[in-house]
Amino acid sequence: PNSRSGGEDGFFWISYSDLMKYFYDIVICKMHTGFEELRYKDCFGMNKLMPMCSRFSYEVTLFRSTWLYITLIQRHVRKINQNNPITTDTGLIVVDLNKSTSWLVPPRVQTHRYYEVLLTEGTYKILPISMGIREAKDFVVAFHYSSPILVNKTSVNAVKFISSFQNSIIQSKENLKISTLDKEATFFQYSSEGFFAFVVSNSHPLCSFSINIDCLSSGGLISSRSGLAFSSDVIPPMHSQFVLSLVIDSRQSSSKFGAQFEYLRHNHYHNEDSKSHQPPLQETDIHTPLCLSTPWKL
């Protein structure tokens, strides 16, 4: 549409009804005097066995306390139609390599997933994540920073990615409910910004634990387990497992969350087989049980 002044000044007028019809969301960009920016092209879905992890991870070194703004930008999603694929959910795992701690920026369905944080001097690992991704999708990682930083882009290691994701939930200082299923079994329920995730840790040296999660009463959510809102898993001795996550699909007109849990202790070692996990797991899967001694520091 033409601008009110009739010139090419970048301003235009649009009716509210057309705005709602043609645009999925609106992004307001903050401007900061003296900040610099780095951008990197990336992609979800390149690893067919673990499509939710990005192709790259980003090791960021800070030389002093720095305000860091990280944005995951999905391209070609200004409007929704049959020829233009809609956006997927995106989030971040942040690992503090100095303190061996991590935290999660919960996945949300947004064209620009934005996170701002004041970080102290040191080195951090940034891992983009998408729980509902089903096919390859390009995106851009943007770093906007107040002081000079050094970014090293590397390929993602699948096992370390899984363990980092589990720890980002277990180590959360907020939005985490911890339940003791048995003397040696712990159930972690994470809930934040419309994202729900469940991790089970089994520290028993001999016994396995079965855990069933039924979220079939939920609606308008994206599931990490092949799109299904239920899971049934056997956690081996001295292992932990991320069993299921659900994220609100903001493209839907409404959503609801409900969950029921059942667990059972097996007083023996339960050998892993095709029936140990439903839906079945892939060869390398973010839901794969990990040995509790698995090093997760990247």
Side-chain angles (χ1 to χ4, degrees), residues 156-226:
V156 175
N157 177 284
V159 174
K160 292 181 179 180
F161 178 86
I162 297 171
S163 57
S164 294
F165 178 70
Q166 284 194 20
N167 280 277
S168 71
I169 295 175
I170 292 174
Q171 295 181 352
S172 296
K173 297 180 180 179
E174 300 177 345
N175 311 308
L176 184 67
K177 179 181 178 182
I178 303 176
S179 305
T180 301
L181 302 181
D182 197 276
K183 186 177 180 180
E184 292 86 6
T186 307
F187 187 39
F188 300 88
Q189 303 176 62
Y190 178 90
S191 175
S192 177
E193 301 182 38
F195 175 75
F196 312 93
F198 310 97
V199 174
V200 178
S201 176
N202 175 17
S203 60
H204 198 286
L206 300 174
C207 298
S208 301
F209 281 87
S210 296
I211 180 75
N212 299 324
I213 301 180
D214 183 350
C215 299
L216 295 177
S217 62
S218 303
L221 302 174
I222 299 172
S223 169
S224 63
R225 294 295 289 265
S226 303

Side-chain angles (χ1 to χ4, degrees), residues 68-87:
L68 185 62
Y69 298 79
I70 308 171
T71 310
L72 305 182
I73 306 168
Q74 297 182 62
R75 306 174 66 184
H76 312 301
V77 289
R78 287 186 177 273
K79 62 180 182 178
I80 300 174
N81 56 50
Q82 293 181 348
N83 299 317
N84 192 7
I86 56 181
T87 185

Side-chain angles (χ1 to χ4, degrees), residues 194 196 215-222 229 246-249 252-259:
F196 312 93
C215 299
L216 295 177
S217 62
S218 303
L221 302 174
I222 299 172
L246 299 165
V247 58
I248 289 179
D249 188 348
Q252 304 297 323
S253 58
S254 63
S255 61
K256 62 178 181 177
F257 171 74

Side-chain angles (χ1 to χ4, degrees), residues 30-288:
K30 292 183 178 181
M31 300 299 293
H32 298 276
T33 303
F35 276 58
E36 300 290 339
E37 184 181 80
L38 289 171
R39 291 194 174 202
Y40 300 91
K41 293 181 179 180
D42 207 332
C43 183
F44 291 118
M46 295 297 291
N47 184 336
K48 299 301 181 182
L49 297 177
M50 193 180 295
M52 65 284 300
C53 73
S54 58
R55 184 178 181 183
F56 301 108
S57 63
Y58 303 85
E59 187 173 290
V60 180
T61 301
L62 310 179
F63 303 99
R64 60 181 178 181
S65 294
T66 302
W67 275 103
L68 185 62
Y69 298 79
I70 308 171
T71 310
L72 305 182
I73 306 168
Q74 297 182 62
R75 306 174 66 184
H76 312 301
V77 289
R78 287 186 177 273
K79 62 180 182 178
I80 300 174
N81 56 50
Q82 293 181 348
N83 299 317
N84 192 7
I86 56 181
T87 185
T88 187
D89 67 284
T90 56
L92 293 168
I93 302 169
V94 182
V95 183
D96 185 340
L97 299 181
N98 315 289
K99 300 178 181 179
S100 298
T101 59
S102 61
W103 62 93
L104 181 69
V105 181
R108 297 184 66 180
V109 181
Q110 294 178 322
T111 56
H112 289 57
R113 184 64 172 113
Y114 173 76
Y115 177 61
E116 61 179 285
V117 62
L118 176 61
L119 297 175
T120 57
E121 176 184 351
T123 303
Y124 301 82
K125 183 75 77 172
I126 309 297
L127 300 105
I129 187 170
S130 175
M131 303 309 299
I133 196 75
R134 294 291 176 265
E135 57 187 20
K137 187 167 186 63
D138 296 331
F139 67 99
V140 171
V141 183
F143 296 96
H144 198 216
Y145 45 92
S146 61
S147 300
I149 65 173
L150 179 65
V151 178
N152 182 28
K153 185 174 68 172
T154 60
S155 299
V156 175
N157 177 284
V159 174
K160 292 181 179 180
F161 178 86
I162 297 171
S163 57
S164 294
F165 178 70
Q166 284 194 20
N167 280 277
S168 71
I169 295 175
I170 292 174
Q171 295 181 352
S172 296
K173 297 180 180 179
E174 300 177 345
N175 311 308
L176 184 67
K177 179 181 178 182
I178 303 176
S179 305
T180 301
L181 302 181
D182 197 276
K183 186 177 180 180
E184 292 86 6
T186 307
F187 187 39
F188 300 88
Q189 303 176 62
Y190 178 90
S191 175
S192 177
E193 301 182 38
F195 175 75
F196 312 93
F198 310 97
V199 174
V200 178
S201 176
N202 175 17
S203 60
H204 198 286
L206 300 174
C207 298
S208 301
F209 281 87
S210 296
I211 180 75
N212 299 324
I213 301 180
D214 183 350
C215 299
L216 295 177
S217 62
S218 303
L221 302 174
I222 299 172
S223 169
S224 63
R225 294 295 289 265
S226 303
L228 301 177
F230 75 92
S231 63
S232 178
D233 297 278
V234 178
I235 318 299
M238 297 300 296
H239 280 70
S240 64
Q241 182 184 343
F242 160 58
V243 291
L244 176 67
S245 75
L246 299 165
V247 58
I248 289 179
D249 188 348
S250 56
R251 300 164 298 188
Q252 304 297 323
S253 58
S254 63
S255 61
K256 62 178 181 177
F257 171 74
Q260 295 182 336
F261 314 99
E262 296 179 347
Y263 77 95
L264 177 65
R265 173 174 171 169
H266 303 279
N267 292 318
H268 59 279
Y269 175 69
H270 183 99
N271 293 320
E272 289 279 299
D273 57 32
S274 59
K275 297 181 180 179
S276 296
H277 306 281
Q278 296 295 330
L281 302 184
Q282 303 295 325
E283 180 180 350
T284 304
D285 194 304
I286 195 170
H287 304 95
T288 300

